[in-house]
Amino acid sequence: MSSIETTAETATASESHTARDGKGILITGPAMQQLARLCSDQGSQQVLRVGVRSGGCSGMSYTMDFVPATDIQNDDERYQYEAPDGACFEVICDPKSLLYIYGMQLDFSTALIGGGFNFTNPNATQTCGCGSSFAV
């Protein structure tokens, strides 16, 4: 591995955030800023639900939606995140989806092509070029 690759890998790893309890999905600095802004825009009564569903090019696809806090189920895993600027938000995930996305990293890109939220899932055995579909 070249020193440039090592530096890039270290920079990405050091910018990743976990939930306050050290668990949950990893969120990079750019994704953390974008999510904090979006959560603020949604209001305090909304939480971010992440998960997976059947479908997509490779068999399963990621889901990410704001839902009312009243939609939190008893068996949902709940993760509190705090952005560097102090903004806090909650991410929830159902137990079935968590089996497929545990250890996943969420990134955000402002690129004109391929921009938006990007998922890096260590559990995926196959991914699609669309970036939101995978197989395990």
Side-chain angles (χ1 to χ4, degrees):
M1 185 181 301
S2 74
S3 63
I4 293 172
E5 290 173 315
T6 304
T7 304
E9 185 177 86
T10 303
T12 301
S14 67
E15 292 178 21
S16 293
H17 303 273
T18 58
R20 287 183 185 158
D21 62 2
K23 299 179 182 177
I25 60 174
L26 297 172
I27 302 178
T28 65
M32 183 67 80
Q33 290 175 344
Q34 185 68 10
L35 285 172
R37 186 184 65 75
L38 289 171
C39 289
S40 174
D41 292 348
Q42 293 293 316
S44 62
Q45 299 302 313
Q46 297 283 313
V47 296
L48 180 65
R49 177 176 289 283
V50 295
V52 297
R53 65 177 179 192
S54 296
C57 311
S58 299
M60 301 187 90
S61 60
Y62 301 105
T63 63
M64 212 167 76
D65 293 305
F66 287 102
V67 297
T70 56
D71 285 0
I72 298 173
Q73 303 296 311
N74 290 335
D75 60 347
D76 282 339
E77 291 291 329
R78 300 170 71 164
Y79 303 104
Q80 295 289 328
Y81 288 86
E82 185 172 348
D85 67 359
C88 297
F89 59 92
E90 185 171 16
V91 176
I92 60 172
C93 182
D94 66 275
K96 184 178 177 183
S97 292
L98 193 59
L99 293 172
Y100 296 105
I101 62 174
Y102 188 79
M104 179 180 78
Q105 179 175 299
L106 181 62
D107 192 14
F108 184 79
S109 170
T110 58
L112 292 176
I113 297 177
F117 287 103
N118 302 306
F119 304 90
T120 304
N121 188 343
N123 306 306
T125 58
Q126 180 182 5
T127 58
C128 183
C130 68
S132 62
S133 180
F134 70 102
V136 288

